Amino acid sequence: MSNAGKILITGGAGYIGSHTVKLLQEQGMDVLALDNLSTGHADSVNCPLIVGDLSDKNLLGKIFSDYQIDAVIHFAGSLIVEESVSFPQKYFENNVANGLNLLDAMVKRGVNKIIDSSSAAVYGEPHYMPIDEDHPRKPVNPYGESKLVFEKILRWYAQAFGLSSVSLRYFNAAGASLDASLGEDHPVETHLIPKVLRVAARQEEVLKIFGNDYPTPDGTCIRDYIHVVDLAQAHFLSLNKLNQDSGCFSYNVGTGKGRSVGEVVNAAMEVTHKMIPIEYAPRRAGDPAILVADAEKIKNELGFEAKYSDLEIIMKTAWAWHQKLLDNHKYKQQELQMH
Ligand code: UDP
């Protein structure tokens, strides 16, 4: 692939962002990360990093005039569903208003390609399974709504300004880089796999399973876990797509295979050889019983293949990363302070 300019990666110091920076660099691409480091880590990227926020229009203007940017991969945003229900303004500000600042800076400079981090949360309660891209989009929380609004904005910007985009609707991102150099390290952890591994590492006493009365074989929720390296690859393939075709595209990024919370806990015990105490807790608000992607479109149109998304590989890579965090005393006391 030939690119005259750089790829700007917003949220490049975050979990999926840093894996994408790494993969693009391995492909010989010239990348530049922009991150406000509210949840990301400067030492996760090995490329030029601008520390700043997408609310800063002057900064955005300067970046697009100082650098020749060929395309943008946009990860920066807020992503905790529960928090979005209590603090919707943060989600519309970060995921919509700040995203608009980015688009406007791009349009001003004629940068016409963007890969957007969307989510399975745009679909809301599933009407059928697996979920394909044409499934009705009726988000049930402000997080999903903010992602859907941004997808819609991209459609109107395509029409008005010829901006081409790929919106990648992630299912459940998990795992860590194969060399354990990068992984998930959020200031507040709410996701299942890191929570399970924190219990295995004896950083938390017990894993709370939110609901065991769902209409699934073991009564716990089923999700489609996709390895973060596969997810990074989906961004690379999306860039290729926009170098060939213009338009507005959306793809699910998942495996088509669902795993229950119970299966995840068992896989964690097998990989870590640790006992993981569990406790059943009430259902978490807004959790559908089953969310599994129909992942055919991205396979057929972009040649995407989920190579590392076996639960065992996800768990092994995530565990290696957790052990590294533990060795480096980087585990933080986590208190759920939402703001
Ligand atoms: N979950 C759980 N205990 C936890 C965290 C998550 O039982 O400590 C469940 C959650 O209810 C959901 C599944 O694990 O059914 C995946 O949740 P996660 O937050 O990882 O991702 P989500 O599907 O919400 O994006």
Side-chain angles (χ1 to χ4, degrees):
M1 185 163 78
S2 71
N3 271 309
K6 290 179 186 296
I7 310 296
L8 175 68
I9 307 193
T10 75
Y15 173 45
I16 307 171
S18 60
H19 283 85
T20 304
V21 166
K22 182 170 185 271
L23 188 133
L24 263 47
Q25 286 179 312
E26 286 163 2
Q27 298 291 333
M29 298 172 87
D30 191 5
V31 297
L32 171 66
L34 168 64
D35 201 299
N36 67 7
L37 299 182
S38 61
T39 59
H41 307 275
D43 59 3
S44 299
V45 287
N46 199 5
C47 72
L49 166 69
I50 298 170
V51 179
D53 200 89
L54 293 177
S55 60
D56 187 344
K57 292 186 191 184
N58 290 333
L59 174 68
L60 287 171
K62 189 162 159 36
I63 293 172
F64 283 94
S65 69
D66 285 357
Y67 297 94
Q68 194 195 338
I69 309 284
D70 186 60
V72 175
I73 306 185
H74 177 40
F75 293 101
S78 299
L79 74 159
I80 303 176
V81 170
E82 231 181 340
E83 182 188 49
S84 80
V85 177
S86 310
F87 301 96
Q89 67 278 29
K90 174 174 173 181
Y91 282 72
F92 292 108
E93 246 166 60
N94 287 347
N95 298 354
V96 180
N98 287 350
L100 268 179
N101 293 341
L102 174 67
L103 296 186
D104 288 336
M106 291 174 66
V107 166
K108 268 193 199 127
R109 286 280 162 179
V111 178
N112 62 0
K113 294 183 274 241
I114 183 166
I115 317 292
D116 158 45
S117 294
S118 189
S119 166
V122 299
Y123 297 116
E125 271 307 316
H127 295 197
Y128 55 83
M129 206 56 65
I131 300 175
D132 59 23
E133 288 80 356
D134 295 327
H135 184 284
R137 269 140 280 155
K138 296 202 167 127
V140 290
N141 50 60
Y143 168 67
E145 188 75 48
S146 69
K147 291 290 175 186
L148 181 59
V149 169
F150 197 69
E151 281 197 21
K152 288 184 177 173
I153 289 171
L154 289 174
R155 296 209 171 263
W156 293 113
Y157 271 55
Q159 200 172 310
F161 308 115
L163 180 74
S164 287
S165 63
V166 173
S167 290
L168 293 176
R169 297 177 183 155
Y170 310 153
F171 279 65
N172 289 62
S177 64
L178 308 182
D179 60 6
S181 62
L182 298 173
E184 206 164 0
D185 184 10
H186 294 123
V188 173
E189 195 48 79
T190 61
H191 291 110
L192 177 64
I193 291 179
K195 288 292 255 186
V196 172
L197 295 178
R198 287 178 67 83
V199 178
R202 301 291 174 255
Q203 300 302 299
E204 290 182 27
E205 277 175 17
V206 62
L207 177 81
K208 284 192 178 161
I209 294 186
F210 301 132
N212 64 339
D213 57 352
Y214 282 100
T216 60
D218 68 7
T220 65
C221 285
I222 292 179
R223 294 289 179 273
D224 185 339
Y225 294 92
I226 177 94
H227 196 286
V228 65
V229 174
D230 287 332
L231 209 40
Q233 177 71 8
H235 292 79
F236 174 67
L237 294 172
S238 300
L239 274 179
N240 287 346
K241 170 79 176 169
L242 294 186
N243 283 329
Q244 284 155 18
D245 299 315
S246 50
C248 220
F249 308 94
S250 49
Y251 298 101
N252 287 339
V253 199
T255 65
K257 199 169 169 198
R259 300 297 202 143
S260 73
V261 176
E263 285 178 290
V264 169
V265 174
N266 288 338
M269 290 201 281
E270 261 168 47
V271 165
T272 63
H273 304 292
K274 308 272 184 202
M275 179 62 202
I276 299 178
I278 59 163
E279 185 181 293
Y280 292 114
R283 290 181 177 195
R284 200 170 62 175
D287 267 349
I290 307 180
L291 279 180
V292 176
D294 178 328
E296 289 305 304
K297 188 177 170 197
I298 191 165
K299 247 189 237 168
N300 296 337
E301 293 188 15
L302 304 190
F304 174 75
E305 202 190 327
K307 281 192 192 156
Y308 305 108
S309 295
D310 259 13
L311 193 49
E312 197 190 340
I313 302 177
I314 288 178
M315 205 57 82
K316 277 188 173 156
T317 55
W319 182 233
W321 164 252
H322 274 252
Q323 283 174 305
K324 198 176 137 186
L325 282 184
L326 200 60
D327 290 346
N328 296 341
H329 305 288
K330 278 204 171 165
Y331 263 129
K332 294 174 201 88
Q333 280 308 106
Q334 297 208 341
E335 282 169 35
L336 194 59
Q337 283 175 337
M338 300 196 287
H339 49 82

